[in-house]
Amino acid sequence: MFVSFSYRPSMALALLEAIFNDSGSETQWISKSSRPMGVINQPSGQIKLTNVSLVRLKKGKKRFEVACYQNKVQDYRRGVETDLDEVLQINQVFLNVSKGQVASNEDLNGAFGTKEQEVVIKEILSRGEIQLSEKERQQMHGKITNELLTLVSAKCVNPNSKKRYPPTMIHKALAELKFNVVTNKPAKLQALEAIKLLVQRQIIPIARAKMRVKAVLPREGNAEAIAQAASLIAATEAAPESATTWMCTGLIDPMNYRELVTLCGKCGTLQVLDMAVLDDANQ
């Protein structure tokens, strides 16, 4: 007599569990529900306010703060934005936003002479100091850095090739000199400091650059334009005298080129003789 037997994985698993969990006199079956489960401990995250700009005002020996959207405070101060709901994250005055400490009516009345939230908020927005978030500081730092590098690249040349350095090479040179860009100083002022440092240290061949141009304007009706153009052109060269035409050849700062084009573009001409010339008088 033959008995057919079909193999089932579930039966084999049950037999193995019975063997390994036999206490000697009684078989102990282990169900899936009774098996010890591994506990996954997930760390609780800390929520940071990364999209908040704070405006802080100290008054009456206390510091008051309001939480605003990025870039909206400047729009409010320029009059571009007048809706407080578009400026504020929450219509509330705080003693400390990060700790969630709300200013009481007594605090507001003692410092501002009123407990009206809207009146106090408007004064804080108008007179308070803007506290930039980390993201805003990074954006501003990047903007100032790019502006600085562009200015340095436009104002300097390689004295050997008389070509301007690209901003990337200027950035690398300033990094080697450990020149730090800050956000509380105008980019133009920092660019002048960077140029002075680069020219002094000469880790790359670099010098201030000038453009050599020739400007021509009719004298009649252009006295003001001629005076402005003459003030932009330095180290002028001798030009033939003419009663009807003003002519000037000399060196200009590249940053003044567009202004000179505007002055000469309507009724005169401006010719670029050399894109980059060293002004020996300033060396």
Side-chain angles (χ1 to χ4, degrees), residues 116-178:
E116 293 293 331
Q117 291 276 341
E118 184 173 343
V119 175
V120 175
I121 288 173
K122 287 183 177 180
E123 182 173 348
I124 294 175
L125 289 176
S126 300
R127 299 177 51 203
E129 179 184 357
I130 302 175
Q131 308 295 314
L132 296 178
S133 66
E134 183 63 26
K135 185 177 181 180
E136 286 178 313
R137 279 193 292 269
Q138 292 176 357
Q139 290 176 345
M140 181 173 291
H141 187 273
K143 180 180 179 181
I144 293 177
T145 300
N146 291 336
E147 186 178 353
L148 179 149
L149 295 176
T150 301
L151 288 171
V152 175
S153 178
K155 288 179 176 291
C156 297
V157 294
N158 184 325
N160 301 322
S161 64
K162 293 187 178 181
K163 292 183 179 180
R164 291 182 177 83
Y165 287 105
T168 52
M169 189 171 292
I170 298 294
H171 185 269
K172 183 178 179 181
L174 291 176
E176 291 183 15
L177 293 174
K178 301 186 184 303

Side-chain angles (χ1 to χ4, degrees), residues 32-148:
K32 291 183 179 180
S33 61
S34 63
R35 294 174 187 169
M37 300 295 292
V39 179
I40 300 176
N41 294 321
Q42 296 183 353
S44 57
Q46 181 181 5
I47 300 176
K48 295 183 179 180
L49 299 176
T50 58
N51 194 35
V52 177
S53 291
L54 301 182
V55 182
R56 184 177 297 162
L57 179 65
K58 187 175 182 180
K59 192 169 183 178
K61 297 183 179 180
K62 288 190 177 182
R63 186 180 63 185
F64 298 90
E65 299 177 344
V66 291
C68 308
Y69 291 103
Q70 292 181 3
N71 303 323
K72 285 294 185 178
V73 179
Q74 296 295 347
D75 291 343
Y76 176 82
R77 290 182 174 180
R78 290 194 299 264
V80 177
E81 183 61 68
T82 57
D83 188 357
L84 290 180
D85 291 335
E86 296 294 328
V87 179
L88 300 174
Q89 293 266 4
I90 180 173
N91 202 324
Q92 183 70 55
V93 180
F94 294 85
L95 294 177
N96 191 310
V97 171
S98 61
K99 295 182 180 180
Q101 296 179 356
V102 178
S104 64
N105 290 336
E106 290 76 12
D107 294 330
L108 299 179
N109 198 32
F112 297 92
T114 179
K115 59 183 180 181
E116 293 293 331
Q117 291 276 341
E118 184 173 343
V119 175
V120 175
I121 288 173
K122 287 183 177 180
E123 182 173 348
I124 294 175
L125 289 176
S126 300
R127 299 177 51 203
E129 179 184 357
I130 302 175
Q131 308 295 314
L132 296 178
S133 66
E134 183 63 26
K135 185 177 181 180
E136 286 178 313
R137 279 193 292 269
Q138 292 176 357
Q139 290 176 345
M140 181 173 291
H141 187 273
K143 180 180 179 181
I144 293 177
T145 300
N146 291 336
E147 186 178 353
L148 179 149

Side-chain angles (χ1 to χ4, degrees), residues 5 15 27 30 55 60 77 81 87 144 170 191 193 209 212 233:
F5 178 79
L15 290 173
T27 301
I30 301 178
V55 182
R77 290 182 174 180
E81 183 61 68
V87 179
I144 293 177
I170 298 294
E193 295 174 354
R212 184 167 174 261
I233 303 176

